[in-house]
Amino acid sequence: MRCTGAAIRRAARRTSQFYDDALKPLGLKLTQYSLLSNIDLLDRPTITELADHLVMDRTTLTRNLTPLRVSGWVHLEPGADRRSRAVVLTSRGTDLLAAVKPVWQQAEVALRAKAGDARLRKLRRLLDEVASVLDPQ
Amino acid sequence: MRCTGAAIRRAARRTSQFYDDALKPLGLKLTQYSLLSNIDLLDRPTITELADHLVMDRTTLTRNLTPLRVSGWVHLEPGADRRSRAVVLTSRGTDLLAAVKPVWQQAEVALRAKAGDARLRKLRRLLDEVASVLDPQ
DNA sequence: GCTAGATTAGTGCATATACACTCGTGTAGC
DNA sequence: GCTACACGAGTGTATATGCACTAATCTAGC
């Protein structure tokens, strides 16, 4: 397989399974942890801002937020004007994130042990560069 | 964002959109092209063999084959015993693959022009290494 | 030959992903 | 103030993804 796109998707499947497995005891998937983490990182982002930050289609984000809202971890509040909505963690969401973080960290450390720290650092840099190069705007 | 898993998924989203856009005139997505291409590459693989090759859950593959079967590009034939099934391209599937290949190649060349050949080669190697390291078997 | 366990594949369910389209809201230009 | 256009968000539809579970088939050991 020489297709770069297919190779990235393949690696994404494998690594997602690795993280998902680690997060399983907490009932979270990698995508969901990533969402909670980035909502916490940004300051009351709108849907569009958060989606741009994650390089995710806005409508995908809307739907990915649904299970987090249903679980009571995320709340949508009125935004700066009547069109926009601010994405915020609930207190339960904040608590969950604090509980998940060390579990995620363990997974990250385990991955580094398996794959090598330098290698992952290089991979990370290349991924960011390629993603940045493909930025449409 | 320091999470390797999230970074890979993010890059996968971006690159998938790039390839999907290129394949759009032919009504195919990257995943589907990748499936057709790998079915052609392997010799009458079973569902499990093809799924293993693609680092994809077997049940995911079963479902991903559905639209290709509906479109008449892929056919499931009886396998070596009565449990297994062989995945094969139909003649229409073979024709389509031949037609799509140059379009994919253009996209690949365009990506190399944007991201740099050496960089993509390094990325590719790292992705394969990391995926290989995570192989559960 | 029987049976227990392994192998192969499909379904139910839930989430992830994004394009096309729609709706409501804001704003610049007049 | 209107109006045309831009902007922010949600829905319809289709595909992608994988875990838990089930069903059929094969095979090793007796």
Side-chain angles (χ1 to χ4, degrees):
Chain A
M1 187 172 30
R2 296 192 199 85
C3 180
T4 307
I8 296 185
R9 284 187 80 104
R10 196 175 47 149
R13 285 193 291 269
R14 181 87 88 193
T15 49
S16 292
Q17 279 177 36
F18 178 78
Y19 283 95
D20 285 353
D21 189 58
L23 295 175
K24 202 171 186 180
L26 289 147
L28 273 183
K29 298 184 163 222
L30 171 58
T31 312
Q32 300 173 334
Y33 168 70
S34 174
L35 276 184
L36 293 177
S37 176
N38 279 281
I39 294 168
D40 186 55
L41 194 68
L42 304 178
D43 183 39
R44 296 176 56 79
T46 65
I47 302 268
T48 298
E49 286 168 356
L50 185 54
D52 286 349
H53 183 74
L54 295 166
V55 188
M56 184 181 282
D57 188 87
R58 182 182 49 73
T59 67
T60 299
L61 176 60
T62 294
R63 290 185 219 261
N64 287 359
L65 286 177
T66 301
L68 303 181
R69 294 170 66 188
V70 169
S71 298
W73 299 323
V74 165
H75 186 58
L76 291 187
E77 296 182 353
D81 61 37
R82 261 186 291 182
R83 292 172 303 182
S84 65
R85 309 177 74 175
V87 186
V88 297
L89 294 183
T90 63
S91 57
R92 284 186 53 210
T94 306
D95 292 349
L96 177 66
L97 183 58
V100 179
K101 231 166 207 169
V103 177
W104 163 74
Q105 201 142 21
Q106 266 189 317
E108 189 73 23
V109 167
L111 181 60
R112 278 180 208 165
K114 278 175 183 283
D117 205 64
R119 189 180 280 167
L120 282 189
R121 235 190 281 274
K122 268 189 251 172
L123 174 61
R124 181 56 196 284
R125 189 169 45 79
L126 288 171
L127 286 172
D128 287 349
E129 284 170 1
V130 170
S132 157
V133 154
L134 289 182
D135 198 330
Q137 119 281 102
Chain B
M1 181 171 35
R2 295 193 200 83
C3 180
T4 307
I8 296 185
R9 284 187 79 102
R10 196 174 47 148
R13 286 193 291 270
R14 182 86 89 191
T15 50
S16 292
Q17 279 176 38
F18 179 78
Y19 283 95
D20 285 354
D21 189 57
L23 296 175
K24 202 171 186 182
L26 288 148
L28 274 182
K29 297 183 164 224
L30 170 59
T31 311
Q32 301 174 333
Y33 168 70
S34 173
L35 276 185
L36 293 178
S37 176
N38 279 281
I39 293 168
D40 187 54
L41 194 68
L42 304 178
D43 182 40
R44 296 176 57 83
T46 65
I47 301 268
T48 299
E49 286 168 355
L50 184 55
D52 286 349
H53 183 73
L54 294 166
V55 188
M56 183 181 284
D57 189 88
R58 183 183 50 72
T59 67
T60 299
L61 176 59
T62 294
R63 291 184 219 263
N64 287 359
L65 286 178
T66 301
L68 303 181
R69 293 170 65 188
V70 170
S71 298
W73 301 322
V74 165
H75 185 58
L76 291 186
E77 297 182 351
D81 62 36
R82 260 185 294 183
R83 292 172 302 179
S84 65
R85 308 176 75 175
V87 187
V88 296
L89 295 183
T90 62
S91 58
R92 284 186 54 210
T94 306
D95 291 349
L96 176 68
L97 183 58
V100 179
K101 232 166 206 170
V103 176
W104 163 75
Q105 202 145 17
Q106 265 189 318
E108 189 73 23
V109 167
L111 180 61
R112 278 181 207 162
K114 277 175 184 286
D117 205 64
R119 189 182 280 165
L120 282 189
R121 236 190 283 272
K122 266 189 252 171
L123 174 61
R124 179 55 194 283
R125 189 170 45 80
L126 288 171
L127 286 171
D128 288 349
E129 284 170 4
V130 169
S132 156
V133 154
L134 289 181
D135 198 331
Q137 128 303 108

